[in-house]
């Protein structure tokens, strides 16, 4: 690992202020442009602790897992072991012969047949007809009861991938395949798909085909005992007081042991340098892992205005980018300082990572403080504002 080169000026000051006022106990940030890489590690691993954040700190990446999962799928597409418009029921029979809710807030037995099969492309674009619902509905209650989706507090799922998919297959779709973008669940399904097509555990495939070639030595679905001291506690905000409360401990916590289900939507742990290697691979046009044409396809907007209805409804959280590619957001307009064509995603446990090809730039900010209050999103916004300003400093 190369020596840490610190930020200077406004970017460092901006991040330091957030640590000093307690927005997060600590953070690790990276901004690269071309061959120049600058990294800053500030604060401590644990609130009230003394162990400093380091460049090698391991983070729960949450939904930054999604672009990695999409890349794994595209490796199989390039090998002609998958095709984008193939029905997935060939490998995932649990998702064949679907029924679809007649209306999203209706009873689960009021359904109509699916107009067509779910395809690989539907899963990659999160338009396969099922996802997280951000309002009380019977389908959400049923999905929570089955453990198909989480409630934000439980360490889930507790079953293996086959049982998880079986349970998902007992529920009707919320929308027709291809009709509407809906968050998250499609990426978890993709992890199962990769495992079945490759005939091996999802994590093994990632380790051999992505993590190994890219030198991502600290990335996986859990933190082994010899590295657990490098994992911070994960924090949420008390809904009444706003104070930080521990969501997941390091030693003995959810990520200290192999999971029952290697979740393609939010299961990975990684470091700032490992994830930088992944994003630089995409930004460079595939880096020998994927072809340039595949990366171009992954990082273009695939959604119609109708498909974006639910995504855009959540404005600053999901809709601010404009578009969605395969497993990640794609910026289609200049709303802030980022260039059109920027791609990447954010993680609900406090992570954000994007590449901006127009600026030859990658930015990554890793914390372990959840996006369940305005504080962490404001930190992210300030990081990106200062990062772009620093390009001309």
């Amino acid at each position: 690992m190369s020596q840490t080169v610190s930020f200077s000026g406004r970017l460092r000051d901006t991040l330091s202020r957030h640590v000093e006022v307690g927005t997060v106990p600590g953070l690790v940030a990276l901004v690269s442009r071309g061959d120049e890489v600058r990294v800053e590690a500030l604060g401590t691993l644990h609130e009230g602790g003394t162990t400093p954040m380091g460049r090698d700190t391991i983070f729960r990446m949450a939904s930054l897992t999604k672009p990695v999962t999409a890349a794994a799928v595209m490796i199989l597409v390039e090998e002609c072991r998958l095709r984008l418009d193939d029905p997935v029921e060939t490998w995932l029979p649990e998702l064949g012969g679907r029924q679809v809710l007649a209306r999203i807030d209706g009873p689960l037995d009021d359904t109509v047949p699916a107009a067509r099969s779910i395809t690989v492309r539907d899963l990659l674009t999160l338009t396969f007809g099922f996802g997280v619902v951000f309002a009380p509905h019977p389908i959400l209650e049923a999905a929570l009861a089955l453990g198909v989706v989480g409630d934000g507090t439980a360490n889930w799922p507790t079953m293996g991938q086959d049982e998880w998919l079986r349970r998902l297959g007992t529920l009707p779709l919320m929308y027709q395949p291809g009709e509407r973008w809906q968050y998250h669940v499609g990426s978890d399904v993709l992890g199962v798909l990769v495992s079945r097509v490759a005939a091996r555990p999802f994590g093994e495939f990632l380790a051999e085909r992505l993590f190994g070639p890219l030198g991502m030595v600290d990335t996986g679905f859990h933190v082994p005992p010899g590295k657990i001291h490098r994992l911070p506690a994960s924090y949420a905000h008390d809904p009444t007081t706003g104070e930080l409360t521990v969501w997941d401990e390091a030693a003995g916590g959810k990520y200290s042991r192999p999971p029952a289900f290697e979740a393609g939507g939010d299961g990975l742990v990684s470091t700032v340098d490992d994830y930088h290697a992944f994003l630089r691979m995409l930004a460079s046009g595939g880096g020998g892992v994927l072809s340039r044409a595949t990366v171009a396809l992954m990082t273009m907007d695939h959604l119609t205005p109708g498909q974006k209805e639910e995504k855009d409804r959540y404005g600053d959280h999901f809709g601010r980018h404009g578009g969605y590619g395969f497993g990640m957001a794609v910026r289609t307009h200049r709303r802030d300082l980022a260039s059109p064509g920027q791609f990447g995603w954010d993680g609900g446990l406090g992570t954000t990572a994007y590449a901006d090809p127009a600026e030859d730039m990658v930015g990554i900010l890793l914390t372990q403080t959840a996006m369940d209050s305005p504080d962490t999103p404001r930190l992210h916004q300030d990081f990106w504002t200062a990062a772009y300003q620093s390009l001309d400093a």
Side-chain angles (χ1 to χ4, degrees):
M1 181 187 301
S2 59
Q3 183 179 0
T4 298
V5 180
S6 295
F7 298 144
S8 60
R10 185 177 301 176
L11 182 50
R12 178 182 171 83
D13 291 345
T14 297
L15 298 178
S16 296
R17 284 197 300 270
H18 280 277
V19 174
E20 289 165 2
V21 302
T23 302
V24 294
L27 58 84
V28 178
L30 178 151
V31 176
S32 72
R33 198 177 199 189
D35 295 330
E36 181 181 12
V37 181
R38 292 186 174 268
V39 178
E40 191 72 60
L42 299 171
T44 59
L45 265 68
H46 312 290
E47 186 182 29
T50 59
T51 304
M53 282 280 181
R55 185 166 178 168
D56 66 347
T57 296
I58 300 171
F59 292 84
R60 304 160 188 81
M61 301 304 283
S63 285
L64 292 190
T65 303
K66 290 176 170 65
V68 177
T69 298
V73 173
M74 295 310 294
I75 289 173
L76 294 173
V77 170
E78 288 197 337
E79 294 177 346
C80 298
R81 300 166 74 182
L82 281 174
R83 298 172 189 85
L84 290 175
D85 296 310
D86 278 348
V88 299
E89 60 208 53
T90 302
W91 304 276
L92 309 176
E94 298 92 336
L95 298 184
R98 308 308 300 142
Q99 292 289 308
V100 183
L101 289 176
R103 66 179 195 276
I104 186 64
D105 59 348
L108 269 60
D109 58 357
D110 184 9
T111 63
V112 298
R116 63 168 176 81
S117 296
I118 297 165
T119 67
V120 177
R121 191 186 304 268
D122 294 332
L123 294 174
L124 285 164
T125 56
L126 298 186
T127 60
F128 85 104
F130 196 97
V132 175
V133 180
F134 296 96
H137 288 310
I139 188 67
L140 174 61
E141 295 172 4
L144 286 168
L146 288 172
V148 170
V149 299
D151 62 4
T153 60
N155 291 343
W156 70 277
T158 57
M159 73 293 291
Q161 65 174 30
D162 294 340
E163 175 61 16
W164 177 84
L165 191 63
R166 186 197 67 79
R167 296 186 189 189
L168 177 63
T170 67
L171 296 170
L173 297 179
M174 299 174 182
Y175 294 99
Q176 289 285 345
E179 181 180 357
R180 190 77 58 89
W181 184 94
Q182 286 187 287
Y183 193 48
H184 183 71
V185 180
S187 293
D188 282 340
V189 177
L190 285 173
V192 183
L193 178 65
V194 170
S195 176
R196 290 192 178 174
V197 174
R200 61 195 308 185
F202 183 39
E204 285 187 11
F205 182 87
L206 290 177
E208 179 182 333
R209 303 303 302 277
L210 273 172
F211 304 155
L214 295 175
M216 298 171 66
V217 297
D218 290 316
T219 303
F221 284 103
H222 79 289
V223 182
K227 299 181 180 181
I228 198 69
H229 64 284
R230 292 161 52 193
L231 180 71
S234 180
Y235 296 91
H237 293 87
D238 183 285
T240 302
T241 66
E243 295 180 355
L244 295 182
T245 60
V246 174
W247 179 79
D248 184 52
E249 295 281 5
K254 174 180 178 181
Y255 291 85
S256 66
R257 55 190 179 273
F261 177 33
E262 295 177 332
D266 63 358
L268 287 176
V269 297
S270 191
T271 64
V272 72
D273 283 293
D274 277 13
Y275 208 82
H276 181 243
F278 172 72
L279 278 185
R280 287 300 300 177
M281 177 273 291
L282 293 177
S284 68
V289 175
L290 293 167
S291 70
R292 188 175 299 277
T294 289
V295 173
L297 185 65
M298 291 177 66
T299 57
M300 64 178 286
D301 183 18
H302 287 268
L303 301 185
T304 67
Q307 289 172 324
K308 293 177 182 179
E309 180 179 329
E310 185 149 333
K311 182 178 72 69
D312 291 350
R313 186 182 306 159
Y314 297 97
D316 285 343
H317 193 60
F318 293 138
R320 70 182 187 276
H321 317 89
Y324 195 83
F326 289 172
M328 68 192 89
V330 179
R331 190 170 296 275
T332 59
H333 56 270
R334 187 179 287 275
R335 179 177 175 180
D336 43 40
L337 301 186
S339 310
Q342 181 204 50
F343 59 84
W345 199 236
D346 308 293
L349 299 181
T351 54
T352 181
Y354 290 83
D356 187 333
E359 295 287 355
D360 193 19
M361 170 190 175
V362 170
I364 303 171
L365 176 65
L366 304 180
T367 82
Q368 295 289 243
T369 302
M371 305 270 279
D372 57 357
S373 90
D375 291 344
T376 306
R378 286 170 182 159
L379 166 60
H380 287 186
Q381 184 176 13
D382 290 351
F383 164 70
W384 287 110
T385 298
Y388 275 95
Q389 180 274 335
S390 73
L391 297 181
D392 294 328

